Amino acid sequence: ASADPRYGFQYTAEEVLRSIYNLAKYFFACYDCREHFMRAYDDCTFDRCNVGEKNYDLMQLWLFHQHNAVTQRVWAEETNSDSLAKPPTTGLGTSASVNPQASADESTTGSRANVDDKNNNAEKDNRSVALRAELWPSTAECSTCMDASIESPYKANSTAIIEYLHLAYAI
């Protein structure tokens, strides 16, 4: 196995992730935590299966996204915010898809539905802002790392994240 001399790693990116997987599998005391982590790894969420031997940047992004996915899931459970419980799992940092049925329903339900939609949207916007405050890194730590928009509190700038990780951890 070849290492990446830029970082002084003695192990490939795949070997590092596999070691972390085994650590979680054999040492996580929390059953749900262990199962969520192993499922995310096995299901190749956040492009994990594309890491390969030498893609240390993608390995770091996978760990970053996995960390925030846990934060988002736990936050959603604690706040009963089911609509924000699942982060996107493909296309690193992309926001969830829009429901095309929503606009069709709006045109047929009348003004009361529009008021309800506005109230629901405002409530979801407030939850999105609260969720964004929980994700890492904070906007104070890295103002360009995460999309600050209410519509996509989970969307990340992969280039900025890698730069931040390299500076923060001197890698």
Side-chain angles (χ1 to χ4, degrees), residues 70-97:
V70 170
T71 300
Q72 184 169 356
R73 184 177 42 77
V74 170
W75 178 87
E77 289 170 3
E78 290 175 353
T79 61
N80 296 317
S81 298
D82 292 338
S83 64
L84 295 173
K86 288 190 156 194
T89 57
T90 59
L92 289 174
T94 58
S95 59
S97 62

Side-chain angles (χ1 to χ4, degrees), residues 28-132:
F28 272 17
C30 169
Y31 175 82
D32 287 340
C33 304
R34 180 176 54 246
E35 292 301 308
H36 282 129
F37 183 89
M38 291 170 48
R39 188 175 324 114
Y41 184 96
D42 293 339
D43 290 348
C44 297
T45 59
F46 306 115
D47 297 332
R48 200 263 325 146
C49 288
N50 293 324
V51 168
E53 285 191 7
K54 297 183 179 185
N55 198 337
Y56 292 91
D57 288 349
L58 189 55
M59 174 195 72
Q60 293 167 30
L61 282 172
W62 185 80
L63 291 167
F64 160 80
H65 285 291
Q66 191 60 30
H67 174 274
N68 275 342
V70 170
T71 300
Q72 184 169 356
R73 184 177 42 77
V74 170
W75 178 87
E77 289 170 3
E78 290 175 353
T79 61
N80 296 317
S81 298
D82 292 338
S83 64
L84 295 173
K86 288 190 156 194
T89 57
T90 59
L92 289 174
T94 58
S95 59
S97 62
V98 175
N99 177 2
Q101 186 60 38
S103 59
D105 289 344
E106 187 176 307
S107 64
T108 60
T109 55
S111 62
R112 178 65 191 152
N114 290 336
V115 170
D116 289 343
D117 286 346
K118 286 180 184 177
N119 290 339
N120 289 338
N121 287 339
E123 183 180 326
K124 184 176 179 183
D125 289 351
N126 290 337
R127 289 191 314 257
S128 294
V129 169
L131 169 61
R132 177 60 198 99

